[in-house]
Amino acid sequence: MKPLPSRQKIALLSAGISGLVLVAFGLAAWLLISRQKLESVDTEIRSLGARHPGWIANRGNYQRLDNALEFIFGEAHQNQIILLVKDADGSVLYKSSGWPEDLDPEKLDCNLETNSNAVTLGAGAGAGLGRGRGGMGRGVGPGGGGAQVTFTKVPKFQTVSSSRGEWRLGMLGTAETTLVIGLNYSGPHAELKRIRNAFLLALPVALFLVGLGGWVVAGRVLQPLKTIA
């Protein structure tokens, strides 16, 4: 087999090294963007859980919380948010009408660890604020007086799939109740796929340009040697 000319070897080596660097950079960027997307959705779930005090008080408040969350998203985002409430025994107390039929609530792992930093405020000036000292995503309790209840469990998040797409679920709980808020993750997931596909399309073009540049540079570098030869 005839060996490749030095000029082609240099061009291929340049393209190979550049390809490894681009793939490593693309993978790191992809992981970073994916993580930021998830953290953004998780932060929104925490905010939604803490924005409407009083959901713990009785079952009627579950429906009001569900209606309030739908109002936030508007008609253009109907069925983009789902809600589930479980008691300490794992029994379903409330399930929103838009909950996917093929997503079994009984199979969700809602066992949350106790948050030792959670604080429950007594009645008085601090009561009824709808947010405790735990900060966003923790303090939520009955509005209009009484003891203020905080999320005393460490929140847990997971991504699940259903026939209606992917959902990002956030589980926020107290000793008596667990609130599960789900946001439709199909939009962010599709955006991540578009970014990935654009990178995969641009990668061969970038490698071709790098190889071409290496071929041109190698030709100029080797020209004096050819002249001497």
Side-chain angles (χ1 to χ4, degrees):
M1 183 177 180
K2 185 179 179 179
L4 292 174
S6 298
R7 189 176 185 181
Q8 293 184 14
K9 289 182 180 179
I10 294 176
L12 291 176
L13 182 61
S14 300
I17 294 176
S18 300
L20 291 177
V21 173
L22 289 175
V23 169
F25 174 79
L27 180 60
W30 166 264
L31 293 176
L32 179 61
I33 294 174
S34 300
R35 182 175 179 179
Q36 288 180 340
K37 286 286 185 182
L38 284 177
E39 289 180 351
S40 176
V41 175
D42 293 349
T43 299
E44 180 64 18
I45 291 175
R46 288 174 180 266
S47 177
L48 291 173
R51 191 176 298 173
H52 300 280
W55 66 268
I56 297 178
N58 54 60
R59 295 191 179 187
N61 279 332
Y62 303 154
Q63 183 62 52
R64 287 199 292 271
L65 174 62
D66 198 359
N67 295 337
L69 296 180
E70 289 184 0
F71 176 78
I72 292 174
F73 280 77
E75 295 182 359
H77 295 83
Q78 287 292 333
N79 298 323
Q80 298 299 303
I81 183 169
I82 53 179
L83 182 66
L84 178 74
V85 182
K86 284 188 172 185
D87 61 13
D89 297 326
S91 301
V92 176
L93 300 178
Y94 177 81
K95 182 174 67 174
S96 60
S97 58
W99 189 272
E101 296 182 358
D102 55 343
L103 185 57
D104 189 358
E106 302 297 335
K107 294 183 179 180
L108 295 178
D109 184 11
C110 296
N111 295 322
L112 305 179
E113 297 180 1
T114 301
N115 184 2
S116 58
N117 295 324
V119 177
T120 301
L121 301 180
L129 295 178
R131 183 157 49 183
R133 295 177 184 174
M136 184 67 72
R138 290 183 182 176
V140 56
Q148 182 172 346
V149 183
T150 64
F151 288 130
T152 58
K153 300 291 185 177
V154 178
K156 183 167 63 177
F157 301 89
Q158 67 179 101
T159 303
V160 298
S161 299
S162 72
S163 58
R164 290 170 45 197
E166 291 189 335
W167 298 86
R168 185 64 174 174
L169 302 181
M171 304 175 186
L172 315 169
T174 67
E176 297 81 17
T177 318
T178 299
L179 172 66
V180 181
I181 299 178
L183 295 182
N184 195 316
Y185 197 64
S186 299
H189 184 71
E191 183 178 351
L192 290 173
K193 289 181 64 176
R194 288 193 295 268
I195 295 175
R196 181 198 62 189
N197 293 338
F199 175 78
L200 293 178
L201 289 175
L203 182 60
V205 178
L207 293 180
F208 173 78
L209 294 177
V210 170
L212 180 61
W215 187 81
V216 172
V217 172
R220 293 184 178 180
V221 172
L222 297 175
Q223 186 60 40
L225 299 178
K226 291 183 178 179
T227 301
I228 294 175

mmCIF file of all heavy atoms in Angstrom, residues 105-145:
data_model
loop_
_atom_site.group_PDB
_atom_site.id
_atom_site.type_symbol
_atom_site.label_atom_id
_atom_site.label_comp_id
_atom_site.label_asym_id
_atom_site.label_seq_id
_atom_site.Cartn_x
_atom_site.Cartn_y
_atom_site.Cartn_z
ATOM 1 N N PRO A 105 -49.531 7.274 39.477
ATOM 2 C CA PRO A 105 -49.067 7.955 40.696
ATOM 3 C C PRO A 105 -48.522 7.002 41.748
ATOM 4 O O PRO A 105 -47.668 7.377 42.552
ATOM 5 C CB PRO A 105 -50.340 8.665 41.201
ATOM 6 C CG PRO A 105 -51.228 8.773 40.009
ATOM 7 C CD PRO A 105 -50.939 7.551 39.194
ATOM 8 N N GLU A 106 -49.017 5.760 41.748
ATOM 9 C CA GLU A 106 -48.581 4.798 42.755
ATOM 10 C C GLU A 106 -47.124 4.386 42.555
ATOM 11 O O GLU A 106 -46.464 3.934 43.492
ATOM 12 C CB GLU A 106 -49.476 3.556 42.718
ATOM 13 C CG GLU A 106 -50.949 3.842 42.946
ATOM 14 C CD GLU A 106 -51.228 4.416 44.327
ATOM 15 O OE1 GLU A 106 -50.419 4.149 45.240
ATOM 16 O OE2 GLU A 106 -52.239 5.122 44.488
ATOM 17 N N LYS A 107 -46.614 4.542 41.341
ATOM 18 C CA LYS A 107 -45.248 4.127 41.050
ATOM 19 C C LYS A 107 -44.227 5.239 41.285
ATOM 20 O O LYS A 107 -43.029 5.020 41.127
ATOM 21 C CB LYS A 107 -45.141 3.648 39.601
ATOM 22 C CG LYS A 107 -45.940 2.377 39.341
ATOM 23 C CD LYS A 107 -45.751 1.899 37.908
ATOM 24 C CE LYS A 107 -46.524 0.611 37.650
ATOM 25 N NZ LYS A 107 -46.358 0.127 36.257
ATOM 26 N N LEU A 108 -44.713 6.429 41.636
ATOM 27 C CA LEU A 108 -43.797 7.530 41.919
ATOM 28 C C LEU A 108 -43.201 7.374 43.309
ATOM 29 O O LEU A 108 -43.916 7.131 44.282
ATOM 30 C CB LEU A 108 -44.527 8.879 41.822
ATOM 31 C CG LEU A 108 -45.049 9.276 40.443
ATOM 32 C CD1 LEU A 108 -45.785 10.604 40.537
ATOM 33 C CD2 LEU A 108 -43.926 9.368 39.425
ATOM 34 N N ASP A 109 -41.909 7.499 43.397
ATOM 35 C CA ASP A 109 -41.220 7.400 44.676
ATOM 36 C C ASP A 109 -41.278 8.757 45.371
ATOM 37 O O ASP A 109 -40.493 9.655 45.079
ATOM 38 C CB ASP A 109 -39.771 6.962 44.462
ATOM 39 C CG ASP A 109 -39.032 6.754 45.777
ATOM 40 O OD1 ASP A 109 -39.704 6.745 46.833
ATOM 41 O OD2 ASP A 109 -37.795 6.608 45.741
ATOM 42 N N CYS A 110 -42.220 8.892 46.279
ATOM 43 C CA CYS A 110 -42.418 10.165 46.982
ATOM 44 C C CYS A 110 -41.840 10.150 48.392
ATOM 45 O O CYS A 110 -42.215 10.981 49.229
ATOM 46 C CB CYS A 110 -43.908 10.517 47.035
ATOM 47 S SG CYS A 110 -44.651 10.817 45.416
ATOM 48 N N ASN A 111 -40.952 9.227 48.664
ATOM 49 C CA ASN A 111 -40.299 9.181 49.982
ATOM 50 C C ASN A 111 -39.215 10.250 50.035
ATOM 51 O O ASN A 111 -38.211 10.169 49.323
ATOM 52 C CB ASN A 111 -39.698 7.798 50.225
ATOM 53 C CG ASN A 111 -40.756 6.715 50.322
ATOM 54 O OD1 ASN A 111 -41.824 6.929 50.879
ATOM 55 N ND2 ASN A 111 -40.465 5.545 49.761
ATOM 56 N N LEU A 112 -39.428 11.248 50.855
ATOM 57 C CA LEU A 112 -38.503 12.374 50.955
ATOM 58 C C LEU A 112 -37.807 12.363 52.311
ATOM 59 O O LEU A 112 -38.414 12.026 53.329
ATOM 60 C CB LEU A 112 -39.253 13.702 50.771
ATOM 61 C CG LEU A 112 -40.085 13.842 49.495
ATOM 62 C CD1 LEU A 112 -40.788 15.185 49.477
ATOM 63 C CD2 LEU A 112 -39.206 13.679 48.262
ATOM 64 N N GLU A 113 -36.558 12.773 52.308
ATOM 65 C CA GLU A 113 -35.811 12.863 53.552
ATOM 66 C C GLU A 113 -36.214 14.120 54.330
ATOM 67 O O GLU A 113 -36.547 15.150 53.733
ATOM 68 C CB GLU A 113 -34.310 12.900 53.262
ATOM 69 C CG GLU A 113 -33.779 11.650 52.591
ATOM 70 C CD GLU A 113 -32.292 11.731 52.335
ATOM 71 O OE1 GLU A 113 -31.691 12.759 52.713
ATOM 72 O OE2 GLU A 113 -31.733 10.779 51.761
ATOM 73 N N THR A 114 -36.153 14.019 55.643
ATOM 74 C CA THR A 114 -36.511 15.160 56.486
ATOM 75 C C THR A 114 -35.443 16.237 56.415
ATOM 76 O O THR A 114 -34.244 15.951 56.467
ATOM 77 C CB THR A 114 -36.683 14.715 57.946
ATOM 78 O OG1 THR A 114 -37.716 13.720 58.003
ATOM 79 C CG2 THR A 114 -37.065 15.891 58.833
ATOM 80 N N ASN A 115 -35.889 17.476 56.272
ATOM 81 C CA ASN A 115 -34.979 18.617 56.223
ATOM 82 C C ASN A 115 -34.794 19.153 57.639
ATOM 83 O O ASN A 115 -35.701 19.738 58.216
ATOM 84 C CB ASN A 115 -35.539 19.704 55.300
ATOM 85 C CG ASN A 115 -34.590 20.865 55.139
ATOM 86 O OD1 ASN A 115 -33.483 20.871 55.675
ATOM 87 N ND2 ASN A 115 -35.013 21.877 54.395
ATOM 88 N N SER A 116 -33.607 18.956 58.197
ATOM 89 C CA SER A 116 -33.355 19.369 59.578
ATOM 90 C C SER A 116 -33.325 20.886 59.732
ATOM 91 O O SER A 116 -33.447 21.402 60.840
ATOM 92 C CB SER A 116 -32.023 18.785 60.064
ATOM 93 O OG SER A 116 -30.955 19.208 59.225
ATOM 94 N N ASN A 117 -33.173 21.625 58.620
ATOM 95 C CA ASN A 117 -33.106 23.086 58.692
ATOM 96 C C ASN A 117 -34.469 23.751 58.548
ATOM 97 O O ASN A 117 -34.575 24.970 58.633
ATOM 98 C CB ASN A 117 -32.172 23.624 57.604
ATOM 99 C CG ASN A 117 -30.741 23.177 57.811
ATOM 100 O OD1 ASN A 117 -30.268 23.076 58.927
ATOM 101 N ND2 ASN A 117 -30.052 22.888 56.711
ATOM 102 N N ALA A 118 -35.514 22.954 58.290
ATOM 103 C CA ALA A 118 -36.844 23.529 58.111
ATOM 104 C C ALA A 118 -37.354 24.093 59.429
ATOM 105 O O ALA A 118 -37.101 23.546 60.501
ATOM 106 C CB ALA A 118 -37.803 22.483 57.576
ATOM 107 N N VAL A 119 -38.081 25.203 59.339
ATOM 108 C CA VAL A 119 -38.586 25.883 60.539
ATOM 109 C C VAL A 119 -40.089 26.068 60.401
ATOM 110 O O VAL A 119 -40.582 26.438 59.338
ATOM 111 C CB VAL A 119 -37.909 27.254 60.724
ATOM 112 C CG1 VAL A 119 -38.491 27.968 61.934
ATOM 113 C CG2 VAL A 119 -36.412 27.084 60.870
ATOM 114 N N THR A 120 -40.833 25.797 61.465
ATOM 115 C CA THR A 120 -42.269 26.052 61.496
ATOM 116 C C THR A 120 -42.529 27.242 62.411
ATOM 117 O O THR A 120 -42.184 27.219 63.586
ATOM 118 C CB THR A 120 -43.047 24.831 62.010
ATOM 119 O OG1 THR A 120 -42.789 23.712 61.155
ATOM 120 C CG2 THR A 120 -44.539 25.115 62.032
ATOM 121 N N LEU A 121 -43.112 28.280 61.845
ATOM 122 C CA LEU A 121 -43.371 29.496 62.599
ATOM 123 C C LEU A 121 -44.713 29.391 63.319
ATOM 124 O O LEU A 121 -45.673 28.853 62.774
ATOM 125 C CB LEU A 121 -43.398 30.710 61.665
ATOM 126 C CG LEU A 121 -42.108 30.959 60.866
ATOM 127 C CD1 LEU A 121 -42.290 32.179 59.983
ATOM 128 C CD2 LEU A 121 -40.923 31.154 61.785
ATOM 129 N N GLY A 122 -44.772 29.953 64.524
ATOM 130 C CA GLY A 122 -46.029 29.966 65.253
ATOM 131 C C GLY A 122 -46.918 31.098 64.795
ATOM 132 O O GLY A 122 -46.587 31.869 63.906
ATOM 133 N N ALA A 123 -48.104 31.195 65.384
ATOM 134 C CA ALA A 123 -49.030 32.262 65.027
ATOM 135 C C ALA A 123 -48.458 33.606 65.438
ATOM 136 O O ALA A 123 -47.680 33.720 66.364
ATOM 137 C CB ALA A 123 -50.384 32.022 65.715
ATOM 138 N N GLY A 124 -48.861 34.607 64.729
ATOM 139 C CA GLY A 124 -48.385 35.947 65.035
ATOM 140 C C GLY A 124 -48.065 36.695 63.770
ATOM 141 O O GLY A 124 -48.641 36.467 62.715
ATOM 142 N N ALA A 125 -47.086 37.610 63.864
ATOM 143 C CA ALA A 125 -46.776 38.466 62.723
ATOM 144 C C ALA A 125 -46.270 37.672 61.544
ATOM 145 O O ALA A 125 -46.464 38.039 60.403
ATOM 146 C CB ALA A 125 -45.733 39.520 63.131
ATOM 147 N N GLY A 126 -45.572 36.541 61.831
ATOM 148 C CA GLY A 126 -45.009 35.775 60.721
ATOM 149 C C GLY A 126 -46.015 34.878 60.050
ATOM 150 O O GLY A 126 -45.759 34.368 58.972
ATOM 151 N N ALA A 127 -47.187 34.653 60.667
ATOM 152 C CA ALA A 127 -48.145 33.711 60.107
ATOM 153 C C ALA A 127 -48.863 34.322 58.932
ATOM 154 O O ALA A 127 -49.120 35.509 58.871
ATOM 155 C CB ALA A 127 -49.150 33.299 61.180
ATOM 156 N N GLY A 128 -49.261 33.428 57.989
ATOM 157 C CA GLY A 128 -50.061 33.875 56.872
ATOM 158 C C GLY A 128 -49.267 34.513 55.759
ATOM 159 O O GLY A 128 -49.843 35.035 54.831
ATOM 160 N N LEU A 129 -47.933 34.514 55.837
ATOM 161 C CA LEU A 129 -47.144 35.130 54.783
ATOM 162 C C LEU A 129 -47.006 34.210 53.582
ATOM 163 O O LEU A 129 -46.676 34.668 52.496
ATOM 164 C CB LEU A 129 -45.747 35.494 55.324
ATOM 165 C CG LEU A 129 -45.709 36.551 56.415
ATOM 166 C CD1 LEU A 129 -44.260 36.762 56.869
ATOM 167 C CD2 LEU A 129 -46.317 37.860 55.950
ATOM 168 N N GLY A 130 -47.225 32.927 53.782
ATOM 169 C CA GLY A 130 -47.130 31.995 52.667
ATOM 170 C C GLY A 130 -45.707 31.577 52.358
ATOM 171 O O GLY A 130 -45.467 30.905 51.380
ATOM 172 N N ARG A 131 -44.741 32.014 53.181
ATOM 173 C CA ARG A 131 -43.376 31.579 52.926
ATOM 174 C C ARG A 131 -42.607 31.637 54.240
ATOM 175 O O ARG A 131 -42.606 32.636 54.940
ATOM 176 C CB ARG A 131 -42.715 32.483 51.888
ATOM 177 C CG ARG A 131 -41.321 32.038 51.541
ATOM 178 C CD ARG A 131 -40.911 32.559 50.184
ATOM 179 N NE ARG A 131 -41.168 33.982 50.037
ATOM 180 C CZ ARG A 131 -40.933 34.647 48.906
ATOM 181 N NH1 ARG A 131 -40.478 34.020 47.865
ATOM 182 N NH2 ARG A 131 -41.185 35.936 48.830
ATOM 183 N N GLY A 132 -41.951 30.545 54.593
ATOM 184 C CA GLY A 132 -41.243 30.474 55.856
ATOM 185 C C GLY A 132 -39.816 30.910 55.726
ATOM 186 O O GLY A 132 -39.368 31.377 54.700
ATOM 187 N N ARG A 133 -39.042 30.697 56.786
ATOM 188 C CA ARG A 133 -37.650 31.106 56.785
ATOM 189 C C ARG A 133 -36.791 30.230 55.876
ATOM 190 O O ARG A 133 -35.658 30.569 55.602
ATOM 191 C CB ARG A 133 -37.105 31.040 58.217
ATOM 192 C CG ARG A 133 -37.779 32.046 59.139
ATOM 193 C CD ARG A 133 -37.267 31.890 60.555
ATOM 194 N NE ARG A 133 -37.961 32.774 61.469
ATOM 195 C CZ ARG A 133 -37.782 32.747 62.779
ATOM 196 N NH1 ARG A 133 -36.955 31.873 63.327
ATOM 197 N NH2 ARG A 133 -38.440 33.586 63.560
ATOM 198 N N GLY A 134 -37.362 29.111 55.453
ATOM 199 C CA GLY A 134 -36.606 28.228 54.589
ATOM 200 C C GLY A 134 -36.339 28.813 53.227
ATOM 201 O O GLY A 134 -35.529 28.316 52.480
ATOM 202 N N GLY A 135 -37.026 29.912 52.853
ATOM 203 C CA GLY A 135 -36.780 30.553 51.577
ATOM 204 C C GLY A 135 -37.689 29.990 50.503
ATOM 205 O O GLY A 135 -38.629 29.253 50.748
ATOM 206 N N MET A 136 -37.402 30.385 49.246
ATOM 207 C CA MET A 136 -38.218 29.987 48.118
ATOM 208 C C MET A 136 -38.285 28.474 48.009
ATOM 209 O O MET A 136 -37.287 27.787 48.077
ATOM 210 C CB MET A 136 -37.609 30.565 46.835
ATOM 211 C CG MET A 136 -38.450 30.278 45.599
ATOM 212 S SD MET A 136 -40.022 31.132 45.641
ATOM 213 C CE MET A 136 -39.506 32.819 45.372
ATOM 214 N N GLY A 137 -39.505 27.967 47.826
ATOM 215 C CA GLY A 137 -39.672 26.546 47.636
ATOM 216 C C GLY A 137 -39.824 25.756 48.919
ATOM 217 O O GLY A 137 -40.031 24.560 48.891
ATOM 218 N N ARG A 138 -39.714 26.435 50.089
ATOM 219 C CA ARG A 138 -39.877 25.716 51.354
ATOM 220 C C ARG A 138 -41.106 26.203 52.099
ATOM 221 O O ARG A 138 -41.971 25.445 52.446
ATOM 222 C CB ARG A 138 -38.634 25.881 52.224
ATOM 223 C CG ARG A 138 -37.413 25.148 51.707
ATOM 224 C CD ARG A 138 -36.266 25.326 52.672
ATOM 225 N NE ARG A 138 -35.057 24.686 52.199
ATOM 226 C CZ ARG A 138 -33.894 24.757 52.801
ATOM 227 N NH1 ARG A 138 -33.788 25.442 53.918
ATOM 228 N NH2 ARG A 138 -32.831 24.155 52.316
ATOM 229 N N GLY A 139 -41.137 27.500 52.390
ATOM 230 C CA GLY A 139 -42.168 28.003 53.266
ATOM 231 C C GLY A 139 -43.473 28.220 52.548
ATOM 232 O O GLY A 139 -43.580 29.091 51.713
ATOM 233 N N VAL A 140 -44.479 27.444 52.834
ATOM 234 C CA VAL A 140 -45.807 27.656 52.280
ATOM 235 C C VAL A 140 -46.802 27.121 53.294
ATOM 236 O O VAL A 140 -46.666 26.017 53.787
ATOM 237 C CB VAL A 140 -45.979 26.958 50.910
ATOM 238 C CG1 VAL A 140 -45.694 25.498 51.005
ATOM 239 C CG2 VAL A 140 -47.355 27.194 50.341
ATOM 240 N N GLY A 141 -47.780 27.944 53.644
ATOM 241 C CA GLY A 141 -48.699 27.502 54.676
ATOM 242 C C GLY A 141 -50.014 28.204 54.545
ATOM 243 O O GLY A 141 -50.265 28.934 53.613
ATOM 244 N N PRO A 142 -50.903 27.982 55.461
ATOM 245 C CA PRO A 142 -52.219 28.577 55.395
ATOM 246 C C PRO A 142 -52.152 30.082 55.471
ATOM 247 O O PRO A 142 -51.500 30.644 56.344
ATOM 248 C CB PRO A 142 -52.925 27.994 56.638
ATOM 249 C CG PRO A 142 -52.088 26.846 57.086
ATOM 250 C CD PRO A 142 -50.700 27.151 56.657
ATOM 251 N N GLY A 143 -52.764 30.747 54.533
ATOM 252 C CA GLY A 143 -52.802 32.199 54.568
ATOM 253 C C GLY A 143 -53.891 32.679 55.503
ATOM 254 O O GLY A 143 -54.869 31.994 55.772
ATOM 255 N N GLY A 144 -53.746 33.898 55.971
ATOM 256 C CA GLY A 144 -54.792 34.517 56.768
ATOM 257 C C GLY A 144 -54.772 34.118 58.227
ATOM 258 O O GLY A 144 -55.782 34.194 58.904
ATOM 259 N N GLY A 145 -53.624 33.655 58.757
ATOM 260 C CA GLY A 145 -53.550 33.384 60.182
ATOM 261 C C GLY A 145 -53.266 31.932 60.480
ATOM 262 O O GLY A 145 -53.257 31.077 59.621
#
